[in-house]
Amino acid sequence: MHLPRDPPRIESILSDERISKDILSEEIEGYAKDFNKRYLHWSEVRYRDTGQFDPDTVWARMKLVRMDDSVTLVFGKTQYRYCMSDRIMKMLREFDVRAAADFFPNVIDPHGKVYYSVSSLMEESIASSQMEGAVTTTKKAKEMLRKNIRPKDGSERMIVNNYRAMMFIKDHTDR
C-alpha cells in the first residue's frame, strides 16, 4: 500500500527558474489539458506517464490552470475555491434535466417538484435568451416572469417568448 503524499507546493516549483520555464512548454500544456479534462487528483497524476517531465511540474501547470478558472466562495472567514470542469457541468445539466422531468420521484416533495420545474424552465429560458443577445439581469428577468409583467423591450420579449415556448412544450410532452 502506498502512503498518500501531499501535492507539491506550487510556490516551491515556481521558485526554480528551470522548472518554471518547463511549466510554460506546449508539451506540459498537453498533459495538463488532458488531465484537467478528467479532473485528476494529484494521487492519480503522480503515477501517470508525463513524458520527460516530472509529475510535480505537470501538476503545477494543472493547478495554475485550475486556479485561473476557479471561483472563490466565502462563508464568513472561511474561503473555498472550486473549479467547474466541463465534465462536472455536463453531469449537473443531466441531473437538472432528469429532476425536472420527474426521473427522481421521491427526492423532492410535490410542491418542490413544481417549483423546481418552473424555476428550472425560467433559468433555461433566461440563460438561452441572454446567450442569444438579450440584455437584462437574471434577477430582473425572473421578477418579470414570476409577476407576469409585460415585456418593455425586445430583450424582455425574447425571454418571455422563450419561457412560454418551454412551458408549452412541457405542458404538451404527453402528446
Side-chain angles (χ1 to χ4, degrees), residues 136-172:
T136 188
T137 65
T138 302
K139 184 178 179 180
K140 186 177 174 184
K142 278 186 179 180
E143 182 180 351
M144 178 185 64
L145 293 174
R146 284 190 181 120
K147 294 181 178 178
N148 205 15
I149 298 172
R150 187 180 187 104
K152 295 178 183 128
D153 58 29
S155 291
E156 290 181 357
R157 204 169 22 262
M158 185 189 314
I159 291 169
V160 168
N161 289 339
N162 203 346
Y163 178 68
R164 286 181 180 160
M166 289 185 177
M167 289 300 288
F168 177 84
I169 292 168
K170 181 185 178 296
D171 292 342
H172 293 86

Side-chain angles (χ1 to χ4, degrees), residues 66-148:
R66 288 180 185 180
M67 287 168 55
D68 191 42
D69 292 340
S70 71
V71 176
T72 303
L73 189 61
V74 180
F75 286 107
K77 295 180 181 179
T78 307
Q79 291 187 1
Y80 299 94
R81 291 176 68 108
Y82 65 93
C83 183
M84 296 295 285
S85 69
D86 288 341
R87 182 171 154 231
I88 292 171
M89 291 298 287
K90 286 177 187 174
M91 291 168 67
L92 287 172
R93 172 77 176 128
E94 181 70 21
F95 178 83
D96 189 42
V97 168
R98 288 176 184 255
D102 207 23
F103 282 109
F104 301 126
N106 299 322
V107 175
I108 306 171
D109 64 81
H111 175 72
K113 283 183 191 178
V114 172
Y115 176 81
Y116 182 78
S117 178
V118 171
S119 179
S120 185
L121 289 175
M122 278 185 190
E123 293 275 346
E124 184 76 23
S125 60
I126 293 166
S128 175
S129 297
Q130 288 170 334
M131 286 171 43
E132 293 174 22
V135 181
T136 188
T137 65
T138 302
K139 184 178 179 180
K140 186 177 174 184
K142 278 186 179 180
E143 182 180 351
M144 178 185 64
L145 293 174
R146 284 190 181 120
K147 294 181 178 178
N148 205 15

